[in-house]
Amino acid sequence: MGQGRNQYQIIRSALCEQIESGALPAGTKLPPERLLSESFGTTRVTLREALSSLEADGMVYREDRRGWFVSPERIVYNPTVNTNFHTMVADQGRTPETRLISASLAPATTRIQKLLQLPPLTPVYRVQRLRLIDQRTVLYVENYINPEYFPGLLDQDLEQSLSDIYRTHYRTRYSKVNFRLYPVGIHDEAATHLRVTSGSSGLLVTRVNHDQKKRLIDCDFEYWRQDAIVITAQARK
Amino acid sequence: MGQGRNQYQIIRSALCEQIESGALPAGTKLPPERLLSESFGTTRVTLREALSSLEADGMVYREDRRGWFVSPERIVYNPTVNTNFHTMVADQGRTPETRLISASLAPATTRIQKLLQLPPLTPVYRVQRLRLIDQRTVLYVENYINPEYFPGLLDQDLEQSLSDIYRTHYRTRYSKVNFRLYPVGIHDEAATHLRVTSGSSGLLVTRVNHDQKKRLIDCDFEYWRQDAIVITAQARK
DNA sequence: GAGTGGTCTAGACCACACC
DNA sequence: GTGTGGTCTAGACCACTCC
C-alpha cells in the first residue's frame, strides 16, 4: 500500500519525492500535462489521477485552465483568537493582500435574515472580497453586515481589515464569535474568484459575530482553498 | 454556471435534485456505475466525474469497491467542549459504536515522542479504534498514551470512551486540549479501515491533551470521513 | 493563433465483494 | 463465479490563457 503498485500511485510518489526533496519549490508551475504524461509513459487521464490525489493532500494545487503548481506551506489559522487576516498572515512571515470585489446595500436573503435575526427584507451591507497570501488567491469572503451599527461603512477603505474599521471608526470590536467549519465543494462565484475548478474541495468557514455589547453585528462566509490552512484552537475546562 | 452546460454538471444536478427531494434517502446505495452511465447516455468516466463532484460536496460517499451511497446528515462536532464521541453522537439522536482494532505497548516514534515530550524510545500505549455512526464508519483514531499515568490501561474495555476510563479508573480528566485540523488525503491504514479509496480527501484532527494537573497525558490522530462532520466552536474575548 | 487544461468517448483488464 | 468498482488506454474537441 502507500506508494503502491498502481500506475498513478507510482507517479504520485515520484512527484511527491521531487517536491519534498526541494527540487520543485513551492509555487513552481509543473510542466504541461501532455508532457508529464509522456515522461511517465502514461496517458493524461492517469496522470491527472495522480495529480488529483496530490491535490487532496495539499501538495499541489491548480489554477483553473492555468496549470498545476506546487503548494506553499499552510497558514495556521486560529479562529478563536480575534486577530485579523493581515496580522495573522504577516505574523507568519507571509505577505497578505485583500482585494475588494464589490460592496453594496441590498435586502437580506432569508438565510442572512435568519442568521442576523433581522425582520424580512431589511437591507444589509454585502461585501465581497478576495484574499491572497504571497500573491496566491486563498480565500473568498462574503460579509453581511447590519448597517444600523455602521452608518457610512461603504465609504471606508474596504481593502483593510473590517475589524480595524469597526474599531477605529465605530468603537466596536468582535467579542463573541460562533464559527462553523464545513468541508465542501467550491462552486460558482467562489470558484471563479479563487480560480478553482468548480466543485473542487475546499473549506467553508462561517462566522456569526457579536460585539462587546452583545449585539449581533455581522456574519461571514469564508471559502478557503483547501490546502491553504491548518486550523488550530485550544480548549480549557 | 452552477448547474452548468457540461455533461457531468447536468448529471450532478439531476442526482442532486433526486437526493434533496427525498427520492434517494440517506444511506441508499446508488445503482451500478455502468447502469447509471447508460441512463444518462454517457460513459463511466463522465459519470464518475459527476459523482466525485457530489462527493466533494458531501452529498454522496463511496465505500471502496462497494459502490456509492447517499450521505447521511453531518454530525456537529465541537472539539472545544470536552464531551466524548458516544455522548456527542447519542445527543444528536444517532447511534454510535466503537470497535477496537488493536492496543499495545510500543516504543514511541520520533513524532509521538516529541508531541508527548518523552525521552527517546519511551514505550507508549498505542490504541487504534474505528468509530461508526448508524453503522457507517466515519472515524479512524489512533491514540498514543503516556503509560506512566495509566498503569494497566490495556486491561480495560477499550471500546468505551477513553475519557470515561480515565475518569472512573484513574481520577484523571481532560483539561487543556490543543487541537489542529487539516484537510488531507486519507491513505493506508486509515483508508483501509474507513473503507475509503486511498487518497480521497478527509479531515485529520490531531489533539494533544493535558489533564487537570497539567500533565501531558495523551495525543490522538482522528481521521474523519470528510462528509461526516461540521465543526463548530465559540470564541469569547 | 498556438498551446493548455477541461471535458468526453468507447472501449479494456483486474481485483475484490458478494453470492 | 459473477458483477462491480478501480484503473488504464488512446484517442478527440472545445474554451480559455497567453503570446
Side-chain angles (χ1 to χ4, degrees):
Chain A
M1 242 164 263
Q3 61 281 310
R5 48 192 191 289
N6 289 326
Q7 189 80 18
Y8 83 92
Q9 285 167 327
I10 295 167
I11 298 171
R12 210 192 107 81
S13 321
L15 288 171
C16 198
E17 194 251 325
Q18 290 288 302
I19 291 169
E20 284 177 343
S21 76
L24 296 170
T28 310
K29 186 179 193 306
L30 298 183
E33 293 180 357
R34 285 169 178 83
L35 220 160
L36 268 180
S37 56
E38 259 180 68
S39 317
F40 285 109
T42 185
T43 57
R44 270 180 75 208
V45 178
T46 301
L47 175 80
R48 281 169 66 89
E49 189 87 10
L51 288 170
S52 299
S53 155
L54 287 168
E55 188 186 26
D57 284 324
M59 304 207 52
V60 304
Y61 68 99
R62 56 181 133 169
E63 296 202 359
D64 199 42
R65 288 168 198 286
R66 271 167 211 260
W68 297 84
F69 303 82
V70 178
S71 297
E73 250 186 77
R74 294 175 193 253
I75 281 279
V76 180
Y77 176 32
N78 187 338
T80 64
V81 170
N82 282 321
T83 181
N84 60 55
F85 180 79
H86 285 262
T87 311
M88 170 177 86
V89 173
D91 282 353
Q92 293 177 49
R94 312 281 286 273
T95 308
E97 185 187 335
T98 298
R99 288 186 196 151
L100 182 63
I101 298 168
S102 88
S104 62
L105 192 67
T109 60
T110 317
R111 188 184 186 189
I112 302 303
Q113 174 207 316
K114 209 176 290 175
L115 279 176
L116 293 181
Q117 296 172 17
L118 295 170
L121 298 176
T122 315
V124 293
Y125 292 133
R126 175 175 190 239
V127 179
Q128 295 174 77
R129 302 189 295 179
L130 194 63
R131 299 189 130 167
L132 299 85
I133 298 177
D134 300 336
Q135 332 252 23
R136 175 191 178 214
T137 57
V138 293
L139 170 59
Y140 164 77
V141 207
E142 289 182 3
N143 281 273
Y144 294 89
I145 305 160
N146 188 332
E148 193 187 327
Y149 306 134
F150 304 99
L153 181 73
L154 298 188
D155 300 328
Q156 303 292 336
D157 171 15
L158 293 169
E159 304 207 330
Q160 284 182 54
S161 136
L162 266 185
S163 63
D164 281 352
I165 297 174
Y166 289 174
R167 185 165 38 74
T168 44
H169 297 278
Y170 301 92
R171 295 187 182 174
T172 294
R173 54 183 175 73
Y174 286 139
S175 173
K176 196 183 76 174
V177 180
N178 288 306
F179 56 91
R180 279 178 174 245
L181 230 140
Y182 296 82
V184 293
I186 295 184
H187 297 283
D188 306 329
E189 262 191 313
T192 309
H193 290 299
L194 285 176
R195 290 183 181 288
V196 153
T197 47
S198 182
S200 64
S201 66
L203 218 52
L204 168 58
V205 180
T206 69
R207 309 198 314 173
V208 179
N209 301 309
H210 298 254
D211 71 359
Q212 72 274 18
K213 296 176 187 161
K214 300 187 178 165
R215 301 180 305 187
L216 222 172
I217 54 175
D218 72 4
C219 65
D220 65 35
F221 298 84
E222 308 180 353
Y223 295 87
W224 287 86
R225 288 195 88 115
Q226 173 248 14
D227 65 341
I229 47 174
V230 39
I231 286 150
T232 180
Q234 204 173 83
R236 272 172 219 280
K237 230 191 190 163
Chain B
M1 244 167 258
Q3 61 284 310
R5 48 190 191 290
N6 290 326
Q7 189 80 18
Y8 83 92
Q9 285 167 326
I10 294 168
I11 299 171
R12 211 193 106 80
S13 322
L15 289 171
C16 197
E17 194 251 326
Q18 291 287 302
I19 292 169
E20 284 177 342
S21 76
L24 296 170
T28 310
K29 186 180 192 309
L30 298 183
E33 293 180 357
R34 285 168 178 83
L35 221 160
L36 269 181
S37 56
E38 259 180 69
S39 317
F40 285 109
T42 184
T43 57
R44 271 180 76 209
V45 178
T46 301
L47 175 79
R48 281 169 66 88
E49 188 87 11
L51 289 170
S52 299
S53 155
L54 287 168
E55 189 187 26
D57 284 324
M59 304 205 52
V60 304
Y61 68 99
R62 55 181 135 169
E63 297 201 359
D64 198 41
R65 287 168 197 285
R66 270 169 213 260
W68 296 84
F69 303 82
V70 178
S71 297
E73 251 186 77
R74 293 175 193 252
I75 281 278
V76 181
Y77 178 32
N78 186 338
T80 64
V81 170
N82 282 322
T83 182
N84 60 55
F85 180 80
H86 285 261
T87 310
M88 170 176 87
V89 172
D91 283 352
Q92 294 176 49
R94 313 280 287 272
T95 307
E97 185 188 336
T98 298
R99 288 186 196 151
L100 182 62
I101 298 169
S102 88
S104 62
L105 192 66
T109 59
T110 319
R111 188 182 184 190
I112 302 304
Q113 174 208 316
K114 210 177 287 175
L115 280 175
L116 292 181
Q117 297 172 17
L118 296 170
L121 298 176
T122 314
V124 293
Y125 291 134
R126 176 176 190 238
V127 179
Q128 295 174 75
R129 301 190 295 179
L130 194 63
R131 298 189 131 166
L132 298 85
I133 297 177
D134 300 335
Q135 332 252 24
R136 174 191 179 216
T137 57
V138 293
L139 169 59
Y140 165 78
V141 206
E142 289 182 4
N143 281 273
Y144 294 90
I145 306 160
N146 188 332
E148 193 189 326
Y149 306 133
F150 304 99
L153 181 74
L154 298 188
D155 300 329
Q156 303 292 337
D157 171 14
L158 293 170
E159 303 206 332
Q160 284 183 54
S161 134
L162 266 186
S163 63
D164 281 352
I165 297 173
Y166 289 175
R167 185 165 38 75
T168 44
H169 296 278
Y170 302 93
R171 295 189 183 173
T172 294
R173 55 182 175 74
Y174 287 139
S175 174
K176 195 183 78 173
V177 180
N178 288 307
F179 57 90
R180 280 178 173 244
L181 231 141
Y182 297 81
V184 293
I186 294 184
H187 297 282
D188 307 329
E189 262 192 314
T192 309
H193 290 300
L194 285 175
R195 291 185 182 286
V196 153
T197 46
S198 182
S200 64
S201 66
L203 217 52
L204 168 57
V205 180
T206 67
R207 311 198 313 173
V208 179
N209 301 309
H210 298 254
D211 71 0
Q212 72 273 18
K213 296 177 187 159
K214 298 186 178 168
R215 301 180 305 186
L216 222 172
I217 54 175
D218 72 4
C219 64
D220 66 34
F221 298 82
E222 307 180 353
Y223 295 86
W224 288 85
R225 288 195 88 113
Q226 172 248 12
D227 66 341
I229 48 173
V230 40
I231 286 151
T232 179
Q234 202 173 85
R236 271 171 220 280
K237 227 188 191 164

